[in-house]
Amino acid sequence: MRKAALDKWFLIGLIGAAGCAKPHVAAWHQDERQVTAPIESLATDERLDAQVHPVRYTPSSPDRPSLDESTVATTTPKVDEPATPPHLLPIQAEVPMVEEATPQPFDSELDFGPTVPGAGTIPGEPFAINLPTAMAHVSGGHPIVGTTQWQVREAYARLAQARVLWLPTIQPGFSFNVHDGNLQTSEGEIIDVNRDAFQAGLGSGATGAGTTTFPGLLSEFHVADAIFLPRIAARNACALEHGADATVNEHLLGVALAYLQLQRAEQDRRIVEETHDHTATLSKLTHDFAAAGQGLRADADRLQTELTLVKSRLVGASEQTEVAAADLAEAISLDNNRRLLLMEPTIVPLDLVPGELDEASLISEGLSNRPELKESQALVAAACEEFRRQKAAPFVPSLLLGFSPGVFGGGRSGTLANIDNRADFDAVAFWQVRQLGLGEKFARRESKARVQQARYEVVGVMDQVARQIRTARTQVVHRKRQIEITKQAITSAEASFERNLARIRDGQGLPLEVLQSVQALESARRAYLNAVIDYNRAQFTLQWALGWPVHHVNPGEG
């Protein structure tokens, strides 16, 4: 029992691990992680506090619970006993195993043996897959995940650039200047000059008594940029990192839903195969009854027509299976020439989120975990820093610092002489008030408007997260009831089929009377299949809406 309890949490554990395997490029930038301070700590200016205050969910509003992590429930999830349901058909077939698809240790109570290929006509080497294997493919090698990782690296490269904005640029070079003709002296006298000038080293472009035109070491920047651009870049990089986490979360959900769709298509094909077998049996009995004079030839033709239609549906079911396999292969970035072989022979309801958690607790947990909300908060922080930069810009100078050591020499009439060491140092500071101050005023208004937009984006994301959690939880509750109802439908449909078939074999009725029972059984099996798949989809959607939390469970309790 203890081993079974350990195994039955394997799926949830691997899902949680996959959710944690997100791109954390900022691991090389630990100091940047401090930029996720609460939004209210960013608005220190009194006027900014008065007009650009942060918005939080408060306990007084039932639709907007508090973000206080102490309110997040830590109850233990409960998974249904994973016994093989009698209402879904096991898939029986040989599956060649490959190295990269080693079966995972599932619950021994389930027969997780090889199954019929989901896309039997697709050429290529087979690839056995289950749900944990599929979700484990969401890694840095996946195109979507890899792209987001490199976008985060790009953002941190921009941050590093902003941090060294004040460092000088090195400009080594040499220059040669020849002048022949009139010049004007500082006293206003016009003189005829024929001169040559040469400079080499750090810097170039010096002529006569003037300073070096292109300093060898040049540092040119606005002080406001040197102070605030690194802060803005840090918050934007943090936002991109959380956005990358959100992308991984969404892709994990997409892979899970694609896998469930393949399960649905494969199991639906098995249901149609069962209907085909039942209809073929009835068709043969009807034909034999007609040949013996105990039945009508019209009934035999009717069953033959029904059998043909079932064959057509079977072709359509095979098509849907192959399409679903192709979709899953794309979702996990697998070569489409490889056949996907499902390792689960049956479908069981999955309980990934504790059913006893109330709606308010779930919403509070989602608001604490969702990276989309953290991304929006970081964007608010970036907008606040930009607002401060615009306020400080007119009061701090732009600086130009230049230093040019090298050699300089020259002479008259094409003669270069007196070459010796030369050093120039330039320091310039100036202030800029754009458009008589009106430009500064409107720039501050623009940046303040961006802060307000970012603030409302946070509110919108919070509302969206709450709606997604509320919707998914409602689906979980109602779809679980559908599973219980459709179980009863299958039980009655199976009983009806068995009784009608027994009557026919005892010579108490016609084979045509069983056809309706066969069709009802197919409908009941498909209804149960859809209920289970839809329930599992709702569970994964709710898990995604909560930010893929990992609920710690004591395995000994199983």
Side-chain angles (χ1 to χ4, degrees):
M1 287 298 293
R2 184 172 183 81
K3 181 180 182 300
L6 288 170
D7 289 344
K8 84 174 180 181
W9 292 110
F10 177 79
L11 176 61
I12 296 179
L14 188 49
I15 290 173
C20 295
K22 304 169 186 173
H24 289 289
V25 179
W28 300 283
H29 305 275
Q30 293 296 331
D31 51 339
E32 281 82 6
R33 292 188 179 276
Q34 299 177 1
V35 302
T36 56
I39 302 174
E40 54 267 27
S41 65
L42 300 173
T44 56
D45 182 76
E46 293 181 358
R47 286 187 294 173
L48 184 62
D49 285 338
Q51 302 182 36
V52 191
H53 57 279
V55 175
R56 297 176 59 115
Y57 276 63
T58 59
S60 60
S61 175
D63 294 331
R64 298 181 178 181
S66 172
L67 288 175
D68 187 0
E69 294 184 0
S70 63
T71 62
V72 179
T74 57
T75 52
T76 299
K78 180 178 183 299
V79 175
D80 289 344
E81 186 66 22
T84 304
H87 310 301
L88 289 181
L89 303 175
I91 305 172
Q92 306 292 337
E94 288 293 330
V95 177
M97 303 301 297
V98 292
E99 292 183 0
E100 54 261 78
T102 304
Q104 302 295 332
F106 281 87
D107 196 311
S108 59
E109 296 180 13
L110 286 177
D111 181 18
F112 282 92
T115 64
V116 172
T121 62
I122 298 179
E125 183 182 1
F127 184 83
I129 191 170
N130 55 21
L131 182 57
T133 303
M135 300 189 73
H137 274 72
V138 182
S139 62
H142 192 279
I144 295 178
V145 179
T147 299
T148 58
Q149 285 182 338
W150 283 104
Q151 288 174 345
V152 173
R153 293 192 183 190
E154 178 185 1
Y156 278 106
R158 288 195 295 268
L159 171 60
Q161 277 185 307
R163 283 179 167 173
V164 298
L165 183 64
W166 57 275
L167 291 178
T169 300
I170 302 175
Q171 300 185 124
F174 68 90
S175 62
F176 180 72
N177 176 263
V178 177
H179 177 80
D180 187 6
N182 288 345
L183 282 178
Q184 187 177 29
T185 66
S186 58
E187 292 82 8
E189 181 182 357
I190 299 298
I191 60 175
D192 187 7
V193 177
N194 185 337
R195 75 171 187 205
D196 303 315
F198 171 79
Q199 182 184 17
L202 285 177
S204 58
T207 59
T211 188
T212 300
T213 306
F214 304 101
L217 295 175
L218 174 65
S219 184
E220 185 178 10
F221 60 91
H222 196 292
V223 173
D225 290 340
I227 295 174
F228 291 101
L229 287 187
R231 300 179 185 179
I232 296 172
R235 280 136 180 87
N236 285 331
C238 181
L240 269 176
E241 187 177 5
H242 289 306
D245 289 345
T247 299
V248 173
N249 282 355
E250 290 180 2
H251 196 62
L252 282 170
L253 176 63
V255 169
L257 297 185
Y259 185 86
L260 293 177
Q261 186 60 29
L262 178 57
Q263 278 191 318
R264 186 202 299 268
E266 176 63 31
Q267 190 65 43
D268 185 73
R269 184 176 67 85
R270 297 297 301 173
I271 291 174
V272 177
E273 285 181 350
E274 183 195 44
T275 301
H276 175 271
D277 295 340
H278 291 330
T279 306
T281 301
L282 290 178
S283 178
K284 184 177 183 306
L285 287 174
T286 306
H287 182 273
D288 293 343
F289 274 38
Q294 299 178 359
L296 300 177
R297 182 62 188 176
D299 292 344
D301 294 339
R302 171 75 171 83
L303 263 299
Q304 185 61 39
T305 301
E306 188 66 28
L307 180 61
T308 303
L309 294 176
V310 173
K311 289 180 179 179
S312 176
R313 296 208 310 274
L314 186 58
V315 173
S318 299
E319 173 193 350
Q320 293 301 317
T321 302
E322 294 185 11
V323 170
D327 291 341
L328 179 58
E330 179 188 11
I332 63 176
S333 190
L334 184 70
D335 184 3
N336 271 300
N337 287 327
R338 304 187 67 179
R339 289 184 299 137
L340 290 178
L341 307 178
L342 289 180
M343 298 171 65
E344 291 94 343
T346 57
I347 301 173
V348 296
L350 298 175
D351 286 335
L352 305 178
V353 180
E356 64 271 16
L357 288 182
D358 57 28
E359 188 175 277
S361 299
L362 291 175
I363 292 177
S364 178
E365 183 175 8
L367 293 175
S368 301
N369 294 334
R370 285 290 288 273
E372 292 90 343
L373 184 57
K374 298 175 183 178
E375 177 186 13
S376 298
Q377 291 172 338
L379 291 176
V380 171
C384 290
E385 293 294 346
E386 175 62 27
F387 178 79
R388 293 198 188 96
R389 186 228 172 266
Q390 293 296 341
K391 290 186 62 179
F395 304 102
V396 294
S398 294
L399 297 180
L400 187 150
L401 303 175
F403 179 61
S404 305
V407 295
F408 181 80
R412 295 181 177 180
S413 303
T415 301
L416 292 178
N418 300 319
I419 298 178
D420 204 348
N421 293 330
R422 169 177 174 158
D424 292 318
F425 177 74
D426 301 284
V428 179
F430 63 93
W431 283 256
Q432 185 182 45
V433 180
R434 293 169 288 180
Q435 292 82 47
L436 299 177
L438 293 178
E440 304 297 337
K441 177 181 178 180
F442 297 142
R444 286 195 296 270
R445 284 187 182 179
E446 180 184 5
S447 61
K448 184 182 297 184
R450 291 200 184 100
V451 173
Q452 295 287 359
Q453 293 175 49
R455 182 176 66 88
Y456 282 109
E457 285 290 337
V458 173
V459 178
V461 172
M462 296 175 82
D463 289 340
Q464 185 179 43
V465 169
R467 188 262 304 166
Q468 291 168 346
I469 293 175
R470 187 177 293 115
T471 299
R473 181 181 179 277
T474 300
Q475 291 174 339
V476 166
V477 171
H478 291 280
R479 290 174 182 180
K480 190 166 188 177
R481 294 175 58 190
Q482 284 184 322
I483 292 176
E484 299 302 323
I485 294 173
T486 51
K487 276 184 182 180
Q488 299 174 8
I490 289 180
T491 302
S492 59
E494 286 178 338
S496 174
F497 171 74
E498 295 296 338
R499 291 190 181 97
N500 282 326
L501 187 60
R503 287 181 64 253
I504 296 303
R505 287 174 174 170
D506 292 341
Q508 299 178 6
L510 298 176
L512 189 61
E513 298 175 4
V514 191
L515 180 59
Q516 187 175 4
S517 297
V518 172
Q519 295 172 341
L521 180 59
E522 177 183 351
S523 298
R525 289 194 187 279
R526 185 171 290 111
Y528 178 76
L529 168 66
N530 290 335
V532 173
I533 291 294
D534 290 342
Y535 176 78
N536 290 348
R537 287 173 62 92
Q539 280 283 344
F540 276 109
T541 302
L542 180 56
Q543 185 79 352
W544 162 77
L546 294 174
W548 294 100
V550 179
H551 299 277
H552 297 284
V553 180
N554 182 7
E557 294 177 1

